Amino acid sequence: MSIPVVSLFIAFLVNLFLAFLVFIKRENSTFPKINVIFSILAWAASGWAFSFFMVYMISDPFLKLFFGKTGFASSAIIPVAFLLFSIFFPDNKRKVTQYTLLLITLPTIFFLGFSYSDKIVSSLGTGKKMFNYGSLYPIFSIYLVSYILLGFSFLINTYKYTTGLSKLQIKYCLIGMFITASLGLLNNLFLPMFGYSVLNWLGPTCSIIMVGFTTYSIVKHRLMDINIVLKKGTTYVILLVLLFVPSFILTLICQKLFFGNIDYLFSFILFLLLFCVAFLFHRIKPGAEKTVEQFLFKDKYDYRETLADFSKAMVSILDLNSLSKRIIGTITQTMGVEKASIFILNEEKGGFELLDSKNVMIDRLGHILSKNDPLPHYLQKIGEIVICEELAKGVNISELEKVVNQMIVLEAQVSIPLVFKEQLIGIINLGYKFNKEIYSHEDIELLTTLANQAAIAIENAKLYEDLKKSKSYIRRADRLASLGTLTAGLAHEIRNPLVAIKTFTQLLPERLEDEEFREKFLHIASGEVDRIALLINELLDFARPSDPKFEPEDINNILDGMILLISTEAKKKNIKITKNLDPNLPLINIDREQMKQVFLNILINAIEATPDNGEIMVKSRSFTKPNGEQYIQIEFKDTGHGIPKEYLEEIFNPFFTTKTTGSGLGLSISNQIVQEHKGYIHVESEIDKGSSFFVNLPLNQEHPKRRKTDFEDKSIPKDFDFFERR
């Protein structure tokens, strides 16, 4: 059986299958008409291939001529089907009347009617000519070329204005149609016109390219880029030429040598079998390896899976201590290691700090490894995992001897460098396994992969801790700035009662016997001293840095204290502060000191924005959202200049301010604190009428009680913002 026969038969089967596939998929298609039209095109291509297959298979002249005419009849359907498909594909937007459809299909009906006459194919040819052609063959050729070119023009025009998926679908169709049309017209139209039609089988065979590409574009919902398809296709073709073609030729030569003749069908089947084996081997190999590992090497498989899962999970851990414990715990458990330790670079301490260990006594060495110590220095230089037993073979080298000695002190059999951007940022030391086995090549590969992931995770955790420290420093700076604003006024506020007390004290010896004077003196002096003590206590509480602590608090009590602190600044501009606090508010779970900072920032901004003889109103109330969530709302309303609408969205941006003084951080920090309390700040403002800041805090929101080292957050928070009111 010859190559043309096998190729045509495959083309027939593939086209037939794809035609039925597209036709069946019409029920799930948005435009079933397109599926039906393309199915007709694919069936025609299948009939074209089958007809020429029969021409090559049959020796009877009458039947050979019959199937030859059938092939041309089938090929007459392809142009009109292609043209209609090009008009409607991919979204059926073009409207075509029944009259236009009739005009398009009339030439096809005409040529189908003459297909079995002598007007297109008259008789069998001789020599290089497969057929002799009739008088209508030139017109038939014009019909084929014009319809195909017209179809391409519709597709190209549609391609110009489409986007996304539709554009990619048309690209598939154009590529497939162009390849098939070029080969089909060349071998079945132009060459026969010059008396050469030996390669008539090539056109029908190549139709599977057109049908395959277009079927993929219709059926597939997620398409690869055509460039990727072409790249992969070219790669496969080159591999096929380099590997399978020589093998196929060798098979033919062996048949000739050993059996005396060549059976092309047997050779093709053998070739196809080898191709399937090679293809399936690549697909089956991963599953087979996994199955073998599960049943024959279960221990290795288990820890490999565990470490793989861990390498994905640990990048979300942002606390160095928690991350170190996770690394040590996972390695010792899954690999069966007795002893382990992890050192992380701490630039402030000038070396590698021990963060976690298991069953290791390192008191003799201390908890810090200097950068210049033998082991860190050697790991920085080679950047690879080192095994103590292997290094011990070169102890005659002074450097290696020192490294081995330090590993012995650390009780390390294996030292794993954690490298980030060519910089050693940590060291993991592992002792012997429980079973006393050596570390295999597979172990080293897995540990290397883990080390790469751990280095990235450690660097992320360090950046996150630096972020938290920066936020703490900025908040502290903002508190100091607020203190600076209050200090001058508070000094004046404290001096006034002291003057009164001093005056009464000077008069007391002269009027000691005056009971009324003594009672009045005691009442005034005691009240003024209490006022001074209250002011100083509020100031000290605000200035004193403290760790975040969420506890039930009375929001009105906090507001009273902050209004007292700010009252002196308000008096300087003769600003009246009015309170309307709901006495029935429940306790709310907040951090008292952080909320003081929020209220003080907003009050200071309100005083700065309010002109002389203005007013600031402070209100508190509770409300319930439609979804049932209960909130406490604190409103700060001033009679200032107001905020332009274009700036309302920017006042919460870091360092945004229109004032000549100030850092632009006050409202930013306030907003961040309220967000950490699961609340939000809302602002309303009108030019020359004033502004209102609404601080909304959820009533039933639970917050963790955090310690200094408790940074168990599993995700990186949004960038904290810093804002300043205008």
Side-chain angles (χ1 to χ4, degrees), residues 5-65:
V5 172
V6 175
S7 302
L8 288 167
F9 186 69
I10 292 174
F12 159 66
L13 292 178
V14 171
N15 288 340
L16 190 66
F17 168 75
L18 294 178
F20 278 107
L21 177 65
V22 174
F23 186 76
I24 292 170
K25 293 287 185 178
R26 76 188 188 284
E27 297 177 358
N28 302 323
S29 174
T30 309
F31 308 108
K33 183 194 295 184
I34 295 175
N35 289 54
V36 174
I37 294 172
F38 182 74
S39 298
I40 295 172
L41 188 153
W43 277 320
S46 177
W48 186 26
F50 179 76
S51 298
F52 277 90
F53 166 76
M54 295 302 294
V55 169
Y56 278 92
M57 287 291 294
I58 296 173
S59 57
D60 182 82
F62 175 78
L63 291 177
K64 188 184 286 284
L65 181 61

Side-chain angles (χ1 to χ4, degrees), residues 53-90:
F53 166 76
M54 295 302 294
V55 169
Y56 278 92
M57 287 291 294
I58 296 173
S59 57
D60 182 82
F62 175 78
L63 291 177
K64 188 184 286 284
L65 181 61
F66 171 78
F67 280 107
K69 292 181 177 182
T70 303
F72 277 87
S74 300
S75 65
I77 301 173
I78 294 176
V80 69
F82 172 56
L83 177 58
L84 291 174
F85 176 80
S86 302
I87 291 172
F88 295 115
F89 188 75

Side-chain angles (χ1 to χ4, degrees), residues 249-392:
I249 295 173
L250 183 61
T251 303
L252 298 179
I253 294 172
C254 290
Q255 286 186 68
K256 187 68 175 178
L257 290 176
F258 290 101
F259 303 107
N261 66 325
I262 298 175
D263 189 328
Y264 287 101
L265 180 59
F266 170 78
S267 302
F268 179 79
I269 293 174
L270 182 62
F271 170 77
L272 191 61
L273 183 62
L274 291 174
F275 184 82
C276 292
V277 169
F279 178 78
L280 293 175
F281 177 81
H282 176 70
R283 297 296 181 92
I284 296 173
K285 180 185 173 184
E289 285 183 343
K290 188 174 181 179
T291 303
V292 170
E293 285 179 336
Q294 281 180 312
F295 288 97
L296 300 182
F297 304 97
K298 190 174 187 306
D299 293 337
K300 290 182 179 293
Y301 173 79
D302 287 344
Y303 81 67
R304 182 176 179 177
E305 286 291 310
T306 303
L307 291 178
D309 294 340
F310 172 67
S311 66
K312 298 175 184 177
M314 68 178 176
V315 294
S316 63
I317 302 176
L318 297 175
D319 172 42
L320 276 176
N321 292 320
S322 301
L323 184 61
S324 301
K325 290 182 183 295
R326 182 72 177 270
I327 292 172
I328 293 299
T330 301
I331 292 178
T332 54
Q333 179 182 357
T334 57
M335 298 193 70
V337 177
E338 287 184 295
K339 302 178 179 182
S341 61
I342 182 169
F343 290 81
I344 303 298
L345 179 63
N346 188 325
E347 294 287 359
E348 294 179 0
K349 297 183 179 180
F352 295 86
E353 181 183 11
L354 176 67
L355 284 193
D356 196 50
S357 64
K358 182 176 182 180
N359 301 327
V360 177
M361 302 296 294
I362 315 184
D363 293 338
R364 291 173 294 171
L365 186 67
H367 290 258
I368 298 290
L369 293 178
S370 171
K371 289 183 179 181
N372 297 321
D373 281 348
L375 180 59
H377 182 266
Y378 186 70
L379 290 175
Q380 173 67 59
K381 184 171 68 173
I382 67 169
E384 297 178 357
I385 294 176
V386 297
I387 301 175
C388 187
E389 290 182 359
E390 293 181 356
L391 294 181

Side-chain angles (χ1 to χ4, degrees), residues 391-408:
L391 294 181
K393 296 177 182 179
V395 291
N396 55 329
I397 303 174
S398 176
E399 182 184 10
L400 294 183
E401 183 180 1
K402 294 178 181 178
V403 174
V404 170
N405 291 336
Q406 188 164 37
M407 291 182 70
I408 292 173

